[in-house]
Amino acid sequence: MGLTSKKVLLLAVVLAVALFAVTVWLWPRLSRKGVLPVLGRVGVLVTTQFALIAALALAGNDNFGFYASWADLFGQETTPGVVVDHAAGGSGGQLRVLDSLAVNVPGGAVPTIGGQIQKVALAGGLSKISTTAYVYLPPEYFREPQRVFPAAVVLTGYPGVAEALYKKMKYPSIEASLVHGGRAQPMVLVMLRPTVAPPRDTECMNVPHGPQTETFFAKDLRAGILAHYRVGAGAASWGVIGDSTGGYCALKLAMEDPKDYSAAVGLSADYAAPKDATTGDLFGGSTRVREENNLPWRLQHLPQPPVSLLVTSSRQGEKNYHATLRFISLVKGPTKLSSIILPSGGHNFTTWGREIPPALQWLSGRLVPDASAPRPSSSVVAISRGR
């Protein structure tokens, strides 16, 4: 059973309750003097405490989506990994649909009513990186086979679990609600975590002599999606949104690659890449590389790109509040900036749940379908094994 299995969580809770009951029942017998009773007390206390902590940890992971598997938890995650693309020319990205899932909306089992989430494998010819992602296709995608749609890349934080984007943060159902209410246009959502070279946190950077993560997101991912789905080819059709580390990635991709992304949303974003145990040295010892991946430094020392950015924070509860205010103060034309500042809110799913609906509406209003998008060789159809 997997780390995120409900059965594992239920088993842990039942075991913790059972051990607590056994401890209470045995305690009178273990209260006697002597080495064995003392060892017995130590044993039942340690075992019960361990079971309670394990149950709480599993519940926390289920709620916040920190780790996707046992291998991820113990730092042994090796898939997805680095692959070599053997396609003709060796450039661009490849995409393969692995499965389909129903969307959690009324009528979600029928693609023309609720849309569809497709699990896909993306392989990068330029970056030599591969990963899995979840692509949300709105119902209009199946109703209007000639229509071209804008696309939004949706990123988790670090380490993050991609499934949390539609299970916990409910991006597809929020978009469906906005479209139904006439507050947003339908968009194709490409949902994944920024950790595409696990377990390392690469902060969506092209690491010197390391993973070329920015190239994957700016070039390979777009190429794979464009080759398989009816989405606009121009930057005006592409946006990116993320929380925490994913928020930093979103802002950075738009600022560094304005020819690929025209709009970005950073929910509780960082504004510079750190150097810690999860990242290692991302800069190769280069001051210039470190500065270029510091977003305030870019605003002060490089030409500001013609993109639209949205940043969010909270006056109380968010550590990035003052950094967000400084970032706002540095933006000038032609970069356009908007913000959501809550009175209070922590660095968590609850806070982001308050920000995602207006952020998606904002993002939708800044993306345009692009009729010049290349048509896939065959239209994407609903996969019958939805669940």
Side-chain angles (χ1 to χ4, degrees):
M1 291 184 288
L3 177 64
T4 58
S5 169
K6 295 294 184 183
K7 293 180 180 179
V8 171
L9 176 58
L10 180 61
L11 180 62
V13 172
V14 170
L15 181 61
V17 172
L19 286 173
F20 179 79
V22 169
T23 300
V24 173
W25 182 69
L26 287 178
W27 199 255
R29 300 185 183 186
L30 298 175
S31 62
R32 299 190 301 270
K33 297 181 179 180
V35 175
L36 290 179
V38 170
L39 291 176
R41 292 197 294 272
V42 171
V44 296
L45 285 174
V46 170
T47 304
T48 302
Q49 291 295 321
F50 178 80
L52 288 170
I53 291 171
L56 290 172
L58 286 168
N61 188 66
D62 180 69
N63 186 50
F64 293 104
F66 296 120
Y67 299 99
S69 65
W70 296 110
D72 193 12
L73 173 64
F74 293 111
Q76 299 173 333
E77 178 64 73
T78 58
T79 303
V82 178
V83 299
V84 177
D85 183 4
H86 297 286
S91 62
Q94 293 179 313
L95 182 148
R96 181 164 56 95
V97 178
L98 305 175
D99 202 355
S100 67
L101 304 90
V103 183
N104 187 22
V105 297
V110 181
T112 54
I113 298 176
Q116 187 178 80
I117 298 171
Q118 295 187 348
K119 183 178 182 180
V120 303
L122 284 164
L126 297 175
S127 66
K128 305 300 185 284
I129 287 174
S130 69
T131 192
T132 55
Y134 293 87
V135 178
Y136 166 65
L137 302 173
E140 292 81 4
Y141 192 94
F142 300 96
R143 295 180 199 157
E144 306 172 48
Q146 300 303 315
R147 182 173 176 178
V148 177
F149 295 82
V153 175
V154 185
L155 300 174
T156 69
Y158 175 85
V161 177
E163 291 84 351
L165 294 169
Y166 64 87
K167 289 182 178 179
K168 299 291 184 182
M169 304 177 81
K170 305 184 187 304
Y171 272 94
S173 57
I174 290 173
E175 179 186 318
S177 177
L178 291 171
V179 172
H180 181 73
R183 292 174 290 165
Q185 64 175 319
M187 300 181 289
V188 171
L189 304 180
V190 185
M191 300 174 285
L192 69 164
R193 61 180 188 167
T195 314
V196 293
R200 190 176 187 183
D201 175 13
T202 59
E203 297 284 319
C204 298
M205 280 183 54
N206 281 343
V207 181
H209 310 294
Q212 301 299 286
T213 316
E214 182 180 347
T215 296
F216 172 81
F217 283 107
K219 306 301 181 185
D220 291 336
L221 180 149
R222 280 173 39 87
I225 296 296
L226 283 167
H228 204 84
Y229 299 104
R230 300 191 313 275
V231 298
S237 298
W238 283 78
V240 55
I241 178 173
D243 61 81
S244 192
T245 296
Y248 164 73
C249 288
L251 298 174
K252 185 166 78 74
L253 285 168
M255 293 175 66
E256 293 191 11
D257 301 283
K259 293 182 179 179
D260 300 301
Y261 295 99
S262 63
V265 179
L267 305 175
S268 305
D270 300 318
Y271 297 99
K275 181 180 179 180
D276 56 29
T278 65
T279 64
D281 181 10
L282 296 174
F283 316 119
S286 169
T287 301
R288 184 68 178 182
V289 173
R290 176 176 56 80
E291 290 175 340
E292 289 178 348
N293 285 276
N294 181 299
L295 304 188
W297 185 92
R298 295 187 68 88
L299 291 175
Q300 290 178 291
H301 297 89
L302 299 177
Q304 298 196 10
V307 296
S308 297
L309 307 176
L310 170 65
V311 295
T312 78
S313 189
S314 304
R315 292 186 182 89
Q316 294 183 351
E318 276 285 12
K319 293 182 179 180
N320 80 332
Y321 174 61
H322 293 291
T324 298
L325 294 183
R326 179 169 181 264
F327 184 83
I328 292 172
S329 71
L330 294 174
V331 173
K332 303 172 183 178
T335 299
K336 298 179 180 178
L337 184 70
S338 303
S339 66
I340 298 174
I341 305 295
L342 299 176
S344 63
H347 198 78
N348 53 51
F349 286 173
T350 300
T351 298
W352 299 327
R354 298 160 61 192
E355 298 168 341
I356 290 171
L360 271 184
Q361 183 177 351
W362 178 92
L363 188 60
S364 166
R366 280 150 184 82
L367 301 181
V368 297
D370 183 355
S372 67
R375 296 293 193 273
S377 56
S378 61
S379 297
V380 177
V381 297
I383 298 177
S384 60
R385 62 179 183 276
R387 59 178 186 266

